[in-house]
Amino acid sequence: MKAILQRVTSASVTVDKQLISTINTGILVFAAVAPGDTKKEVEQMASKVLRLKMWDGEDGGRWKQSVQDIRGEVLCVSQFTLLASTKKGNKPDFHGAMSGEQAKELYDQFVNKVRDLYLQDRVKNGVFQAAMSVAMVNDGPVGVDYRSDEGAVTLEINTNPKATADEPSSSQGAESEDCDFSRGLPPSLLE
């Protein structure tokens, strides 16, 4: 999952000129579900949204309070375009986003998990797959980009490197084998 968390003084979602949701001070969360995401990523993201320290403390200390600490509100908005790739050409490629029904199921689990971990009446939602008009007054401005898999690390280890034409082989003629430890890691980390 990927999310953009915006600290706001207010935010709202409108669909077909009808106000769907509105919040005051809190976090506007634009969230996207990627292929391979599971309940684990949903739970990580929900926890991060509620626990991320985005406000100053009452003692004036910087980055000391979460949305829960200030009893703020949360507005979740599904936005698959966060996972667009623009590496080739000028047209965004959305293959990095999970397909409709699967994405809706996990996105709904995410919103419900945020509600379960916090106060239900303080967590609002947009409309999945709708053309939404999202308005916000960014506070700061403060915005944080978060991926549920950002802690992953890829290491490439070649235990027996091939000698180049200019370098003698340290293996004295033994055949070289490359080791690949990248299996099971998200494709974005292998680029």
Side-chain angles (χ1 to χ4, degrees), residues 7 53-65:
R7 187 176 76 182
K53 308 292 186 187
M54 295 181 73
W55 283 267
D56 294 344
E58 292 175 8
D59 63 355
R62 304 286 290 165
W63 311 108
K64 298 286 186 179
Q65 295 187 95

Side-chain angles (χ1 to χ4, degrees), residues 162-187:
K162 295 177 183 172
T164 64
D166 297 336
E167 295 180 281
S169 173
S170 61
S171 60
Q172 299 296 326
E175 289 190 44
S176 174
E177 271 187 43
D178 291 335
C179 294
D180 179 10
F181 295 100
S182 63
R183 289 187 202 128
L185 296 174

Side-chain angles (χ1 to χ4, degrees), residues 71-173:
R71 296 188 55 81
E73 295 178 285
V74 179
L75 174 55
C76 300
V77 175
S78 63
Q79 187 177 351
F80 76 94
T81 60
L82 293 178
L83 295 168
S85 173
T86 56
K87 290 182 179 182
K88 294 181 182 178
N90 295 316
K91 182 179 177 185
D93 174 352
F94 299 109
H95 287 95
M98 186 178 279
S99 63
E101 283 305 311
Q102 291 175 308
K104 180 176 181 359
E105 183 179 324
L106 283 175
Y107 174 79
D108 287 345
Q109 286 179 22
F110 163 70
V111 174
N112 290 331
K113 189 66 176 179
V114 174
R115 286 180 173 142
D116 290 346
L117 294 173
Y118 192 33
L119 304 169
Q120 295 230 353
D121 64 325
R122 294 208 171 264
V123 180
K124 309 291 173 59
N125 194 8
V127 178
F128 191 85
Q129 287 187 326
M132 294 177 273
S133 294
V134 181
M136 73 169 161
V137 177
N138 196 314
D139 181 16
V142 173
V144 177
D145 176 274
Y146 178 74
R147 276 187 172 271
S148 58
D149 64 356
E150 71 184 2
V153 176
T154 301
L155 297 175
E156 290 184 26
I157 302 171
N158 185 342
T159 60
N160 193 8
K162 295 177 183 172
T164 64
D166 297 336
E167 295 180 281
S169 173
S170 61
S171 60
Q172 299 296 326

Side-chain angles (χ1 to χ4, degrees), residues 27-77:
I27 298 176
L28 171 59
V29 181
F30 294 106
V33 182
D37 284 346
T38 65
K39 187 175 180 177
K40 178 184 174 189
E41 284 80 16
V42 164
E43 290 176 359
Q44 275 183 322
M45 186 69 72
S47 177
K48 183 62 77 172
V49 164
L50 295 172
R51 294 175 35 196
L52 189 65
K53 308 292 186 187
M54 295 181 73
W55 283 267
D56 294 344
E58 292 175 8
D59 63 355
R62 304 286 290 165
W63 311 108
K64 298 286 186 179
Q65 295 187 95
S66 69
V67 70
Q68 287 178 306
D69 296 332
I70 67 159
R71 296 188 55 81
E73 295 178 285
V74 179
L75 174 55
C76 300
V77 175

